[in-house]
Structure formats: C-alpha cells, structure tokens
Amino acid sequence: MAHVYDRYLRQDKLPHIWCSGCGNGIVTNALIRAVDKAGIDPDQVVVIAGVGCSSRANGYLNFCGLHTNHGRPLAYATGVKMANPKLHVIVVTGDGDCASIGGNHFIHACRRNLDITTVIYNNDNYGMTGGQYSPTTPTGAKSKTTVYGNIDAPFDLCQLAQAAGATYVARSTVYHVQMLTDQITKGLQHKGFSVIEAMSSCPTLFGRLNKLGGPAEMLQHFKDQSIMLAQARKLQPEEIAGKLVLGTFVNRTDRPEYAAQYEQLKKAAERQADV
Ligand SMILES: Cc1ncc(C[n+]2csc(CCOP(=O)(O)OP(=O)(O)O)c2C)c(N)n1
C-alpha cells in the first residue's frame, strides 16, 4: 500500500545506506512531515547537503537538491537563495560537516540571516568515516580517535548559533519526534536563518563505543537525559549539567532578512544610477 509521504522520497534510491537503528531516518521523516505541514510546494524546495551519513538524506528526498562538498552546504545554499529568493532552501548537515570543517560558514550564515533552514543531524561523531570525534562529542566520551575519553569541551550548537545571530534556534531529539517536526515546521515558516539541532542516534559507532546499548536504549537515553528549556531556566547550571536542554531558544523577527535587504539595496542603487 502506498504511504501518504511516498511522493517525498525517491523510491529508486532506496534502500538507504544508514545502519539499522540509526536515527537519521527519524530526522528525515520529521523533515518530510514539516514540509507537508508547512504547506510548501515541493517544487519550490531545494535541499542542500554536505558530506556524511546525514548528508545522504538529500539523495532520498524527492526535491531539487545539491550534494556538495564536505562542510560547504551553506555556501551553496547562500548562492541558491540569493539567485532565487522565492525558493525554500533547506540544508541537511552533520555535526562534523556543520561545526568542524564547515564551522566558519555556519557562524557567518547565522550572522547574515539569509532565509535558509538548517537541520543539523547531530550524532556526536563522524559517522560516515568510522566514528572519529567531532566538535559535539561530549567530554569524556569515547570515539575512534578518543579511545581513552574525549578531553575537549563540546560546542553547544544552539548557543553557538544564538551568539552568532541566528534568528530561529531550536533543539530536539529523535525520541521527541513531534517536537522535532514542529520545530522544523517553524524553521521553514520563519523569515530568516533558522537552525534546528536534531540529536540523532548512532548505535553502530557512538552507541557501541560508549556502551549506550542498542537503538531502543539510545532512544530511552535521549528521553532520560533531556530537560525542557522552561524547566531548565528555573534551575542552576550545576543542576542541568550533563542534561540535553530541548526547546526553542531563539525566535526573533527584529533582524532584517538578508535577501530582502539586498533587493532594497539594489533598488536604491538603481535609483541613484538613474539620477
Ligand atoms: C574535504 C573533505 N574532508 C574530509 C572528508 C571525509 N569525510 C567525509 S564525511 C566526514 C565526516 C562526517 O561527519 P558528520 O558531518 O558529523 O556526518 P555523519 O556522517 O556523522 O552524519 C569526513 C571527515 C571529505 N569527504 N572531504
């Protein structure tokens, strides 16, 4: 029987490459539902990916798309959106793609406030290349390159995005699917740069190395580890240490959207040239 969302997937590209129990399918499902819920014409959507397990999502999604260089989807997305501001541009990226090799592009995209929706599939490691540590690997966690435990402090990507100027910033997990879908929907409807950090499970690499159990246990771990933002705000920092704070951190409309601002600038320049 055909599924109501089948039309959003490229059936000829399935089955996907993700491991059993990987959370990336849940994030991609939430993304599809969000496009549907937001009532966006699929022909007006462009999904742009970098390189990584997460970035493979764009190959399965039946929208226009670009699979670009590792760490550079935001650069391509900027070009696409500036060339045709009417398009809904969505970036699918990993924690490595977005915050390691693409970190500089990420902060400047936040600063610029171009109307792009960025969905970060954060599995706390480099999945595609075998489980090396990433900028979001928690301190103490094991990875293929931190076998005795990570001594780096991880980035909080939502705090980073907020500090850099992103105008919609939210976080959810693959356990909290409804919230994730709502956040992506709001990100798509938001006029400006939106960041949705989707905490995703990687049972094969991160889960196994950190003895987090199988796919179901990892979902349970997300449930147990999470705290809602409203509740977290009432607690002291030491009381929420090690917790995943979920919710909408930023939703502001006071900053101008970049492409609209650029249009105005162009018109003003044309008027001046006419004089
Ligand atoms: C310029 C460049 N450097 C390195 C790589 C190798 N590489 C491919 S994917 C990847 C990391 C992917 O990690 P992440 O973005 O977190 O995505 P995940 O696979 O975990 O979803 C790396 C280092 C590459 N393809 N291109």
Side-chain angles (χ1 to χ4, degrees):
M1 205 178 84
H3 191 277
V4 65
Y5 293 131
D6 276 356
R7 66 196 174 102
Y8 290 111
L9 291 169
R10 291 178 197 268
Q11 303 297 333
D12 58 323
K13 296 285 185 234
L14 300 172
H16 56 72
I17 61 153
W18 296 321
C19 303
S20 304
C22 170
N24 289 354
I26 301 177
V27 184
T28 306
N29 183 7
L31 173 54
I32 287 172
R33 284 170 191 267
V35 171
D36 196 75
K37 218 167 139 185
I40 297 170
D41 175 2
D43 289 340
Q44 297 298 309
V45 174
V46 184
V47 179
I48 301 180
V51 176
C53 297
S54 40
S55 295
R56 287 296 291 231
N58 103 314
Y60 307 128
L61 290 164
N62 195 16
F63 303 116
C64 283
L66 290 172
H67 199 174
T68 73
N69 314 61
H70 187 35
R72 298 294 179 267
L74 283 164
Y76 287 83
T78 300
V80 170
K81 185 70 185 178
M82 290 304 286
N84 187 352
K86 289 202 185 90
L87 295 173
H88 281 269
V89 179
I90 303 172
V91 166
V92 289
T93 179
D95 40 303
D97 194 66
C98 173
S100 264
I101 191 168
N104 203 31
H105 289 261
F106 180 62
I107 55 172
H108 289 285
C110 292
R111 176 172 74 90
R112 193 171 287 131
N113 200 34
L114 188 59
D115 185 14
I116 293 170
T117 304
T118 299
V119 180
I120 309 171
Y121 293 52
N122 182 1
N123 60 5
D124 284 337
N125 77 137
Y126 287 6
M128 180 158 271
T129 44
Q132 295 86 354
Y133 82 134
S134 85
T136 59
T137 305
T139 307
K142 291 192 176 160
S143 74
K144 284 283 169 63
T145 43
T146 56
V147 287
Y148 300 107
N150 180 24
I151 57 168
D152 278 359
F155 267 143
D156 178 324
L157 294 181
C158 288
Q159 279 184 17
L160 181 67
Q162 178 172 359
T167 47
Y168 181 87
V169 182
R171 181 192 288 127
S172 190
T173 82
V174 289
Y175 176 83
H176 305 81
V177 188
Q178 196 53 56
M179 188 183 0
L180 180 59
T181 308
D182 287 347
Q183 291 173 348
I184 302 175
T185 309
K186 294 214 173 74
L188 289 168
Q189 290 166 335
H190 179 76
K191 272 265 150 241
F193 192 72
S194 53
V195 178
I196 297 94
E197 184 184 14
M199 299 305 301
S200 184
S201 36
C202 175
T204 303
L205 297 164
F206 191 80
R208 194 179 292 169
L209 283 167
N210 290 286
K211 303 200 176 353
L212 295 174
E217 286 84 5
M218 286 193 80
L219 288 179
Q220 181 69 40
H221 185 66
F222 278 139
K223 181 181 179 216
D224 298 342
Q225 201 195 2
S226 297
I227 181 167
M228 296 305 144
L229 180 60
Q231 203 188 338
R233 282 191 171 137
K234 294 182 198 141
L235 300 171
Q236 297 302 316
E238 57 276 15
E239 292 176 285
I240 55 168
K243 289 275 183 198
L244 260 180
V245 182
L246 307 184
T248 303
F249 299 88
V250 182
N251 189 1
R252 50 190 278 214
T253 52
D254 57 320
R255 292 191 55 214
E257 193 277 327
Y258 191 81
Q261 223 185 348
Y262 189 73
E263 264 318 298
Q264 282 178 5
L265 189 77
K266 253 170 46 186
K267 286 201 182 104
E270 277 160 14
R271 277 197 303 273
Q272 236 176 31
D274 285 345
V275 179

